[in-house]
Amino acid sequence: MNISYPTMPHQVLTSQVRPSENQSSETLAVHHFFPKKSGFRVSPLRPLKQWVEHVQIKSPRVAHLICRVIPAQCPFARVIQFRSRILFQIPPLCQINPLYEELMGLRFRALCYLADECGQDISSYC
């Protein structure tokens, strides 16, 4: 049986699936798309992520505040030294933050607003 399903607007993935002796082709198709052990993941941060993604910047004052509060680079990477010897290194923890992508997008939108809409110099924030 040939099962095709779109993954992107202009691409289609196809796979060849053969039912076993005790399975009908309809049952196999349902299990192919919805495996039994796939758990439905609920993200408690999803509403907050969506809220951050939909924030619209309409004021230069708010845009400046966002650019000052959200750093351009991760400030958490540190090297702990004692008498010129490295004791340990703390890796950047920004990638662990579940809202990292959304906050970087918000900062980028604020920078674009300042540069495009207000015509201000944003080099101090980069």
Side-chain angles (χ1 to χ4, degrees), residues 1 17-29 31:
M1 174 168 86
V17 179
R18 289 182 181 43
S20 64
E21 296 171 2
N22 59 355
Q23 259 185 334
S24 69
S25 59
E26 291 83 18
T27 305
L28 186 62
H31 289 296

Side-chain angles (χ1 to χ4, degrees), residues 63-123:
H64 282 291
L65 177 67
I66 290 171
C67 292
R68 278 193 302 260
V69 171
I70 301 174
Q73 297 172 348
C74 189
F76 302 113
R78 298 279 187 258
V79 175
I80 308 300
Q81 295 181 345
F82 181 72
R83 295 187 184 185
S84 71
R85 295 186 92 182
I86 297 175
L87 297 178
F88 57 92
Q89 295 178 342
I90 301 173
L93 301 175
C94 289
Q95 295 293 333
I96 297 172
N97 183 354
L99 297 174
Y100 177 75
E101 295 294 326
E102 287 78 11
L103 291 174
M104 290 297 108
L106 179 62
R107 186 175 195 279
F108 180 73
R109 289 194 312 271
L111 288 171
C112 289
Y113 176 81
L114 288 173
D116 298 340
E117 302 288 325
C118 302
Q120 296 181 9
D121 182 29
I122 58 170
S123 60

